[in-house]
Amino acid sequence: MSQTVPLSVSVSVVLNGSGGGQVQSGPALPGVAWNPSSVAVLVQPVSTTVVSQFLLYLGPPQAANFQGGTYTGDNNSDDLALPPMYAGQVLTGVWTGGNPGATATMTLTGTQDIPGNAV
Protein backbone atom coordinates (compact mmCIF):
# COMPACT_ATOMS: atom_id res chain seq x y z
CA MET A 1 0.00 0.00 0.00
CA SER A 2 1.37 3.40 -0.88
CA GLN A 3 0.97 6.68 0.93
CA THR A 4 0.42 9.99 -0.87
CA VAL A 5 2.35 12.96 0.51
CA PRO A 6 2.98 16.51 -0.76
CA LEU A 7 5.75 17.09 -3.29
CA SER A 8 7.76 20.30 -3.13
CA VAL A 9 11.24 20.14 -4.63
CA SER A 10 13.49 23.04 -5.64
CA VAL A 11 16.70 22.89 -7.67
CA SER A 12 18.93 25.85 -8.53
CA VAL A 13 21.77 26.82 -10.85
CA VAL A 14 23.92 29.93 -11.20
CA LEU A 15 23.45 31.28 -14.73
CA ASN A 16 26.63 31.29 -16.82
CA GLY A 17 28.21 34.26 -18.62
CA SER A 18 25.66 33.93 -21.43
CA GLY A 19 22.74 33.86 -18.99
CA GLY A 20 22.12 30.14 -19.48
CA GLY A 21 21.70 27.28 -17.04
CA GLN A 22 20.11 23.88 -16.61
CA VAL A 23 18.63 21.88 -13.71
CA GLN A 24 17.15 18.39 -13.40
CA SER A 25 14.90 16.81 -10.82
CA GLY A 26 12.99 13.55 -10.49
CA PRO A 27 12.28 10.72 -8.09
CA ALA A 28 15.40 8.88 -7.01
CA LEU A 29 14.03 5.97 -4.97
CA PRO A 30 12.59 2.84 -6.61
CA GLY A 31 8.83 2.56 -6.18
CA VAL A 32 8.32 6.28 -5.53
CA ALA A 33 6.10 8.07 -8.04
CA TRP A 34 6.02 11.83 -8.48
CA ASN A 35 2.85 13.53 -9.70
CA PRO A 36 4.00 17.11 -10.37
CA SER A 37 1.07 19.47 -10.91
CA SER A 38 2.89 22.79 -11.21
CA VAL A 39 6.28 24.32 -11.88
CA ALA A 40 7.49 27.73 -10.72
CA VAL A 41 10.65 29.54 -11.81
CA LEU A 42 12.53 32.41 -10.25
CA VAL A 43 15.77 34.23 -11.10
CA GLN A 44 17.42 36.40 -8.43
CA PRO A 45 18.62 39.07 -8.71
CA VAL A 46 16.29 40.23 -11.44
CA SER A 47 17.91 42.25 -14.20
CA THR A 48 16.46 45.48 -15.57
CA THR A 49 18.04 44.84 -18.98
CA VAL A 50 17.42 41.13 -19.76
CA VAL A 51 14.60 38.63 -19.18
CA SER A 52 15.39 34.94 -19.38
CA GLN A 53 13.47 32.34 -21.34
CA PHE A 54 12.66 29.04 -19.59
CA LEU A 55 11.94 25.72 -21.31
CA LEU A 56 10.82 22.50 -19.58
CA TYR A 57 11.48 18.98 -20.84
CA LEU A 58 10.47 15.52 -19.60
CA GLY A 59 13.88 13.90 -19.98
CA PRO A 60 16.85 15.39 -21.84
CA PRO A 61 16.43 18.82 -23.46
CA GLN A 62 15.40 17.83 -26.97
CA ALA A 63 12.37 18.76 -29.07
CA ALA A 64 10.52 15.44 -28.58
CA ASN A 65 10.58 15.93 -24.79
CA PHE A 66 9.36 19.55 -24.73
CA GLN A 67 6.58 20.16 -22.17
CA GLY A 68 6.26 23.95 -22.14
CA GLY A 69 8.08 27.18 -21.54
CA THR A 70 7.88 30.87 -20.90
CA TYR A 71 9.48 34.05 -22.14
CA THR A 72 9.34 35.31 -18.55
CA GLY A 73 11.64 32.74 -16.95
CA ASP A 74 12.66 35.22 -14.26
CA ASN A 75 9.43 34.85 -12.29
CA ASN A 76 6.59 32.66 -13.51
CA SER A 77 4.59 29.50 -12.84
CA ASP A 78 2.43 27.10 -14.79
CA ASP A 79 0.28 24.03 -14.30
CA LEU A 80 1.59 20.69 -15.55
CA ALA A 81 -0.31 17.77 -17.06
CA LEU A 82 2.24 14.96 -16.88
CA PRO A 83 1.97 11.21 -16.34
CA PRO A 84 3.45 9.92 -13.07
CA MET A 85 7.25 10.01 -12.97
CA TYR A 86 9.31 7.12 -11.63
CA ALA A 87 12.95 6.60 -10.55
CA GLY A 88 15.25 7.40 -13.43
CA GLN A 89 12.91 9.95 -15.02
CA VAL A 90 13.69 13.66 -14.73
CA LEU A 91 12.24 17.03 -15.59
CA THR A 92 14.89 19.27 -17.11
CA GLY A 93 14.61 23.05 -16.85
CA VAL A 94 16.69 25.20 -19.20
CA TRP A 95 17.19 28.98 -18.93
CA THR A 96 18.61 31.11 -21.76
CA GLY A 97 19.25 34.83 -22.11
CA GLY A 98 19.12 35.55 -18.40
CA ASN A 99 21.13 37.66 -15.97
CA PRO A 100 24.71 36.20 -15.84
CA GLY A 101 25.66 35.23 -12.29
CA ALA A 102 22.06 35.21 -11.04
CA THR A 103 20.61 32.15 -9.30
CA ALA A 104 17.81 30.44 -11.23
CA THR A 105 15.46 28.14 -9.30
CA MET A 106 12.85 25.64 -10.52
CA THR A 107 10.29 24.44 -7.97
CA LEU A 108 8.02 21.46 -8.61
CA THR A 109 4.90 20.93 -6.52
CA GLY A 110 2.25 18.23 -6.51
CA THR A 111 2.08 14.86 -4.76
CA GLN A 112 4.26 11.81 -4.48
CA ASP A 113 3.27 8.22 -3.84
CA ILE A 114 5.58 6.40 -1.44
CA PRO A 115 5.35 2.60 -1.17
CA GLY A 116 4.76 0.81 2.11
CA ASN A 117 5.65 2.53 5.34
CA ALA A 118 8.57 4.56 3.94
CA VAL A 119 7.29 7.82 5.41
Side-chain angles (χ1 to χ4, degrees), residues 12-104:
S12 298
V13 63
V14 174
L15 299 180
N16 64 25
S18 299
Q22 179 176 308
V23 294
Q24 288 187 328
S25 189
L29 299 174
V32 173
W34 283 14
N35 304 291
S37 58
S38 68
V39 59
V41 292
L42 178 67
V43 175
Q44 288 289 328
V46 173
S47 171
T48 58
T49 58
V50 296
V51 177
S52 66
Q53 180 182 13
F54 176 80
L55 301 175
L56 184 68
Y57 301 88
L58 181 56
Q62 57 193 36
N65 297 335
F66 181 71
Q67 298 296 311
T70 177
Y71 285 103
T72 55
D74 290 349
N75 183 4
N76 209 341
S77 63
D78 201 5
D79 293 334
L80 297 173
L82 299 173
M85 296 174 58
Y86 299 96
Q89 293 181 299
V90 294
L91 281 170
T92 303
V94 179
W95 284 267
T96 57
N99 184 13
T103 299

